[in-house]
Amino acid sequence: MITIATEHPVQDSLALLHQRHTADMHSETPPESIHMLPADALAAPGIAFFVMRKDGEAIGMGAFKRIDDHHAEIKSMHVLAEHRGGGLSRRLLDHLMSEARAAGYSRLSLETGVQPGFAAARALYAKAGFEECGPFEGYWDDPNSLFMTRAI
């Protein structure tokens, strides 16, 4: 059984998710171009954090961060590699979009990498209707980053 629910980002059961996400972000990206938030930063006001569990085991996570009253940014979306390929990433993304819409946002944006390891993420976002855009909310024109946005 798969569930997705709001949870606190700092808990022992999420350690593997945070470790794998951090390792993936650092595998191909120069340090100055890594924009992930550590677990404790995901607990900040203005961030909604969700955990995907399969039979109680944490297998995915994702968040959105308020930019303004109408615009939020997807942060720290990750599904463990051994659970990919069965539509769970799309299910998590759809959940984030639905929750953001319910919270009153009308636009979601994101930053992802341009390196080969991010190809599946870019394809997922494009298939979900995200389109390339320029940097937003504190980002800069970074050749290692791709920015995407969509109305929700």
Coordinates of all heavy atoms in Angstrom, one line a residue, residues 9 11-22 58:
P9 N 10.3 16.6 8.3 CA 11.4 16.2 7.5 C 12.6 15.6 8.3 O 13.5 14.9 7.7 CB 11.9 17.4 6.7 CG 11.4 18.5 7.5 CD 10.1 18.1 8.2
Q11 N 13.6 13.0 10.8 CA 13.2 11.8 11.6 C 14.1 10.7 11.1 O 14.5 10.6 9.9 CB 11.7 11.5 11.5 CG 11.2 11.4 10.1 CD 9.7 11.1 10.0 OE1 9.3 10.0 10.5 NE2 8.9 11.9 9.4
D12 N 14.4 9.7 12.0 CA 15.3 8.6 11.6 C 14.8 7.8 10.4 O 15.6 7.4 9.6 CB 15.4 7.7 12.8 CG 16.2 8.3 14.0 OD1 16.9 9.4 13.8 OD2 16.1 7.8 15.1
S13 N 13.5 7.7 10.3 CA 13.0 6.8 9.2 C 13.2 7.5 7.8 O 13.1 6.8 6.8 CB 11.5 6.5 9.4 OG 10.7 7.7 9.2
L14 N 13.7 8.7 7.8 CA 13.9 9.4 6.5 C 15.4 9.5 6.2 O 15.8 10.1 5.1 CB 13.3 10.8 6.5 CG 11.8 10.8 6.7 CD1 11.3 12.3 6.7 CD2 11.0 9.9 5.8
A15 N 16.3 9.0 7.0 CA 17.7 9.2 6.9 C 18.2 8.6 5.5 O 19.0 9.3 4.8 CB 18.5 8.5 8.0
L16 N 17.7 7.5 5.1 CA 18.2 6.9 3.8 C 17.7 7.8 2.7 O 18.5 8.0 1.7 CB 17.6 5.5 3.6 CG 18.0 4.8 2.3 CD1 19.5 4.6 2.2 CD2 17.3 3.4 2.2
L17 N 16.5 8.3 2.7 CA 16.0 9.2 1.6 C 16.9 10.4 1.5 O 17.4 10.8 0.4 CB 14.6 9.6 1.9 CG 13.5 8.8 1.3 CD1 12.2 9.2 1.9 CD2 13.5 8.8 -0.2
H18 N 17.2 11.1 2.7 CA 18.0 12.3 2.6 C 19.5 12.0 2.2 O 20.1 12.7 1.4 CB 18.0 12.9 4.0 CG 16.7 13.6 4.4 ND1 16.2 14.7 3.6 CD2 15.8 13.3 5.3 CE1 15.1 15.0 4.2 NE2 14.8 14.3 5.2
Q19 N 20.0 10.8 2.6 CA 21.4 10.4 2.2 C 21.4 10.2 0.7 O 22.3 10.7 0.0 CB 21.8 9.2 2.9 CG 22.1 9.3 4.4 CD 22.2 8.0 5.1 OE1 22.1 6.9 4.6 NE2 22.5 8.1 6.4
R20 N 20.5 9.5 0.2 CA 20.5 9.2 -1.3 C 20.3 10.5 -2.1 O 20.9 10.6 -3.1 CB 19.4 8.2 -1.6 CG 19.6 6.8 -1.0 CD 20.3 5.8 -2.0 NE 20.3 4.5 -1.5 CZ 19.4 3.6 -1.8 NH1 18.4 3.9 -2.6 NH2 19.4 2.4 -1.3
H21 N 19.3 11.3 -1.6 CA 19.1 12.6 -2.3 C 20.4 13.4 -2.4 O 20.8 13.9 -3.4 CB 17.9 13.3 -1.6 CG 17.6 14.6 -2.3 ND1 17.1 14.6 -3.6 CD2 17.6 15.9 -1.9 CE1 16.8 15.9 -3.9 NE2 17.1 16.7 -2.9
T22 N 21.0 13.5 -1.2 CA 22.3 14.3 -1.1 C 23.3 13.7 -2.1 O 24.0 14.5 -2.8 CB 22.8 14.4 0.3 OG1 21.8 15.0 1.1 CG2 24.1 15.1 0.4
A58 N 9.6 4.5 4.2 CA 9.7 5.7 3.5 C 10.5 5.4 2.2 O 11.7 5.0 2.2 CB 10.5 6.7 4.3

